[in-house]
């Protein structure tokens, strides 16, 4: 980040620097681990289709809304609502975002810990030679059920994230991620091509890309919208915080567009790897999709490459970096809140939130086979349902309502006009922010309430 003439707060060096940083937050386990899981649980291609619509009609408008509010107020989410509408309950939306961030960080770090575990397992040669589904499945189940090992991995991830945030060395990570993220992208394309050229890939590809309309139901919409919010880091003020560093010279619309596009592309490619690999290894039919899906499948495809050991190592390092750039953005929101609004020293704030997330993450860490009650209660998936789907969608709903009916579209458009002279999607954006996005989210939440009561 370089300082600019704007304020002492500083701004991203350029539009490209912002796109990289925001994509670093967005692209992570949400696209590579969670998206294929959601596709597997929600009927395959029909989910992919609804997800892409959700990104375009809800995710993109909400991202532009968050960036606009962030750049206008130059504050953390709580401060942003306070700045525009002082003395009103709108600040509660900011508080909700702060809390949601802490809870998401708790279980997200468990999965990031798995990526760390897979990195050292690959390093020690656990996946050398031909890897079958049975072997891969056994390695994952044994690992996820080992309480000490998963807690150790969780500790490492939260410790690293806390260190980066407390020392304010985020800039360094961002510089590194500028090199590593494109490398991850290249590797994913390469793996996707390998998966598509496996014999028997066709059936998996059809499951992934040929929609079966009979599988369409309100749950597909609910999870697709939740996935759009989760993967784009929306609904809890992360993008507001990132937007607060964008310069007035930069174009918010195209920046939002690029972040949505790159994230969706990575998620799409992750699915292209997972499902064809599953059918090519005869594991698609009758598959019980669970939280380990990505970790069970990637070793299979990596073992089908010459030099698989090195590719495996590279993949899990890059996955770890992608996960860390997201955990950093998750921890940044509550930390910035304590620093800006309560004058806490940065280090104390980061350690406090980090420690809290670690404690909250313990039940999720133990809910994949390590402890019976936690596993039976499916704690990790429940946390994900409540915070990753519902709370982000509720947050997104309030952000659209705030922008459209409290702050006002005209003022938002004025902010957007800095750095952007021709906003061609303007009528569509206004319609989506005022009507489509809030109505769709309300309908989805009501439906889900009815469905879960039945
Ligand atoms: N978007 C991140 C991912 O897909 O991995 C997760 C995330 C980060 C969600 C930051 C929400 C957030 F505010």
């Amino acid at each position: 980040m370089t300082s600019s003439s704007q304020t002492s707060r500083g701004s991203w060096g350029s539009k490209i620097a912002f796109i990289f940083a925001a994509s670093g937050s967005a692209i992570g386990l949400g696209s590579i681990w969670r998206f294929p899981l959601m596709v597997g649980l929600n009927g395959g291609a029909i989910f992919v289709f609804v997800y892409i619509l959700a990104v375009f009609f809800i995710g993109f408008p909400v991202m532009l809304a968050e960036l606009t509010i962030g750049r206008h107020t130059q504050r953390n989410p709580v401060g942003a609502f306070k700045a525009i509408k002082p003395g009103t309950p709108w600040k509660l939306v900011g508080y909700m975002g702060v809390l949601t961030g802490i809870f998401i960080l708790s279980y997200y770090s468990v999965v990031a810990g798995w990526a760390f575990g897979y990195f050292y397992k690959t390093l020690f040669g656990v996946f050398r030679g031909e890897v079958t589904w049975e072997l891969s499945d056994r390695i994952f189940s044994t690992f996820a059920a080992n309480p000490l090992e998963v807690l150790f991995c969780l500790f490492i991830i939260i410790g690293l994230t806390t260190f980066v945030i407390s020392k304010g060395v985020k800039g360094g990570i961002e510089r590194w991620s500028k090199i590593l993220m494109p490398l991850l992208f290249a590797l994913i394309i390469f793996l996707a091509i390998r998966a598509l050229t496996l014999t028997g890939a066709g059936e998996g590809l059809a499951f992934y890309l040929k929609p079966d309309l009979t599988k369409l139901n309100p749950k597909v919409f609910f999870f697709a919208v939740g996935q759009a919010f989760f993967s784009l880091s929306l609904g809890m003020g992360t993008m507001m915080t990132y937007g607060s560093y964008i310069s007035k010279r930069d174009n918010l619309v195209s920046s939002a567009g690029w972040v949505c596009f790159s994230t969706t592309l990575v998620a799409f490619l992750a699915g292209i790897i997972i499902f064809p690999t599953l059918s090519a290894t005869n594991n698609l039919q009758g598959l019980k999709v669970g939280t380990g899906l990505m970790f069970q499948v990637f070793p299979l495809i990596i073992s089908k490459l010459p030099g698989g050991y090195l590719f495996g190592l590279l993949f899990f390092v890059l996955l770890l970096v992608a996960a860390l750039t997201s955990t950093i953005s998750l921890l940044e929101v509550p930390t910035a809140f304590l620093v800006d609004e309560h004058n806490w020293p940065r280090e104390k704030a980061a350690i406090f939130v980090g420690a809290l997330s670690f404690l909250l993450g313990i039940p999720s860490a133990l809910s994949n086979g390590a402890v019976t009650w936690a596993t039976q209660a499916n704690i990790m998936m429940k946390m994900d349902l409540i915070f990753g789907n519902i709370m982000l969608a509720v947050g997104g709903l309030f952000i659209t309502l705030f922008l459209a009916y409290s702050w006002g579209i005209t003022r938002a458009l004025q902010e957007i006009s800095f750095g952007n002279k021709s906003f061609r999607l303007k009528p569509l954006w206004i319609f989506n922010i005022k009507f489509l996005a809030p109505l769709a989210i309300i309908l989805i939440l009501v439906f889900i309430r009815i469905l879960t009561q039945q």
Side-chain angles (χ1 to χ4, degrees):
M1 231 177 281
T2 56
S3 67
S4 79
S5 55
Q6 231 179 329
T7 60
S8 60
R9 198 180 162 78
S11 66
W12 307 105
S14 63
K15 182 175 139 192
I16 297 290
F18 163 77
I19 292 173
F20 265 106
S23 304
S25 164
I27 298 173
L29 298 170
S31 299
I32 302 169
W33 163 75
R34 196 179 189 274
F35 176 71
L37 177 61
M38 290 293 142
V39 174
L41 291 173
N42 293 290
I46 193 71
F47 180 86
V48 181
F49 186 70
V50 178
Y51 168 73
I52 291 174
L53 292 181
V55 167
F56 188 78
F57 289 104
I58 301 179
F60 171 74
V62 174
M63 180 168 300
L64 185 52
E66 284 204 29
L67 294 182
T68 307
I69 296 171
R71 185 171 75 176
H72 185 76
T73 57
Q74 310 244 319
R75 284 195 175 73
N76 70 77
V78 174
F81 287 105
K82 278 190 185 165
I84 296 182
K85 290 282 158 183
T88 62
W90 281 113
K91 61 175 178 293
L92 294 179
V93 182
Y95 284 115
M96 202 171 80
V98 167
L99 275 183
T100 305
I102 298 174
F103 279 97
I104 295 184
L105 179 62
S106 76
Y107 71 86
Y108 190 95
S109 301
V110 173
V111 185
W114 292 350
F116 175 61
Y118 266 56
F119 162 67
Y120 64 70
K121 281 186 195 310
T122 311
L123 186 69
F124 297 149
V126 172
F127 298 111
R128 265 182 193 245
E130 171 78 13
V131 180
T132 59
W133 169 269
E134 288 68 29
L135 177 67
S136 181
D137 184 38
R138 187 153 23 92
I139 293 173
F140 177 76
S141 326
T142 318
F143 168 55
N146 183 336
L148 281 185
E149 200 175 357
V150 285
L151 288 178
F152 165 74
C153 291
L154 172 65
F155 182 80
I156 295 288
I157 296 296
I158 297 210
L160 271 175
T161 310
T162 306
F163 177 80
V164 169
I165 290 287
S166 69
K167 296 284 173 224
V169 289
K170 246 174 86 213
I173 301 284
E174 268 140 23
R175 263 193 302 280
W176 270 99
S177 71
K178 251 186 251 173
I179 306 167
L180 296 178
M181 296 300 273
L183 201 59
L184 173 68
F185 187 64
L187 185 58
I188 285 185
I189 293 194
F190 181 68
L191 290 175
I193 294 173
R194 182 65 194 105
L196 287 176
T197 49
L198 293 173
T199 343
E203 196 195 336
L205 200 61
F207 172 78
Y208 187 54
L209 294 180
K210 242 171 119 188
D212 175 354
L213 285 175
T214 60
K215 300 242 168 78
L216 193 62
N217 63 48
K219 278 194 178 162
V220 173
F221 285 95
F222 171 75
F223 285 109
V225 170
Q227 177 62 25
F229 277 105
F230 190 95
S231 63
L232 297 171
S233 304
L234 297 174
M236 52 162 274
T238 305
M239 286 298 159
M240 252 180 234
T241 312
Y242 276 69
S244 72
Y245 297 106
I246 305 182
S247 139
K248 291 273 189 214
R249 287 187 304 271
D250 290 335
N251 186 329
L252 293 181
V253 181
S254 61
S255 300
W258 275 109
V259 178
C260 290
F261 176 72
S262 58
T263 310
T264 308
L265 188 60
V266 169
F268 183 75
L269 289 170
I272 292 272
I273 299 171
I274 301 263
F275 296 100
T277 304
L278 275 171
S279 67
T281 52
N282 290 322
N283 291 301
L284 187 63
Q285 296 296 340
L287 179 76
K288 256 192 97 221
V289 178
T291 48
L293 182 66
M294 189 223 102
F295 293 91
Q296 289 153 322
V297 176
F298 269 83
L300 300 184
I301 182 81
I302 287 168
S303 89
K304 296 210 180 302
L305 294 169
Y309 177 76
L310 285 180
F311 277 114
L313 216 51
L314 186 62
F315 174 74
F316 286 111
V317 169
L318 296 175
L319 183 67
L320 200 56
V321 173
L324 282 171
T325 50
S326 304
T327 54
I328 288 167
S329 74
L330 281 162
L331 184 58
E332 176 64 22
V333 173
T335 305
F337 160 71
L338 288 173
V339 172
D340 293 352
E341 305 295 314
H342 294 280
N343 293 323
W344 282 36
R346 193 168 177 81
E347 197 157 295
K348 179 177 156 194
I351 294 176
F352 173 75
V353 183
L356 190 60
S357 300
F358 176 76
L359 292 177
L360 290 170
I362 294 176
S364 296
L366 301 178
S367 70
N368 292 275
V371 169
T372 317
W373 74 264
T375 308
Q376 274 168 359
N378 211 352
I379 302 278
M380 187 195 259
M381 289 306 273
K382 286 220 173 88
M383 293 275 277
D384 186 52
L385 174 72
I386 297 170
F387 297 100
N389 274 292
I390 299 176
M391 292 305 277
L392 290 184
V394 172
L397 169 65
F398 282 119
I399 290 167
T400 56
L401 293 178
F402 173 76
L403 191 143
Y405 302 105
S406 178
W407 187 32
I409 292 278
T410 324
R411 287 190 202 99
L413 283 173
Q414 199 191 359
E415 180 61 48
I416 294 174
S417 74
F418 299 121
N420 179 353
K421 293 289 160 268
S422 63
F423 181 10
R424 266 181 298 154
L425 290 175
K426 184 157 91 184
L428 185 64
W429 182 71
I430 297 176
F431 176 76
N432 287 359
I433 283 289
K434 276 180 119 164
F435 307 112
L436 190 111
L439 262 176
I441 299 173
I442 291 172
L443 269 179
I444 287 165
L445 292 173
V446 170
F447 258 115
I448 276 306
R449 183 96 193 93
I450 297 171
L451 280 177
T452 48
Q453 274 172 346
Q454 277 169 3

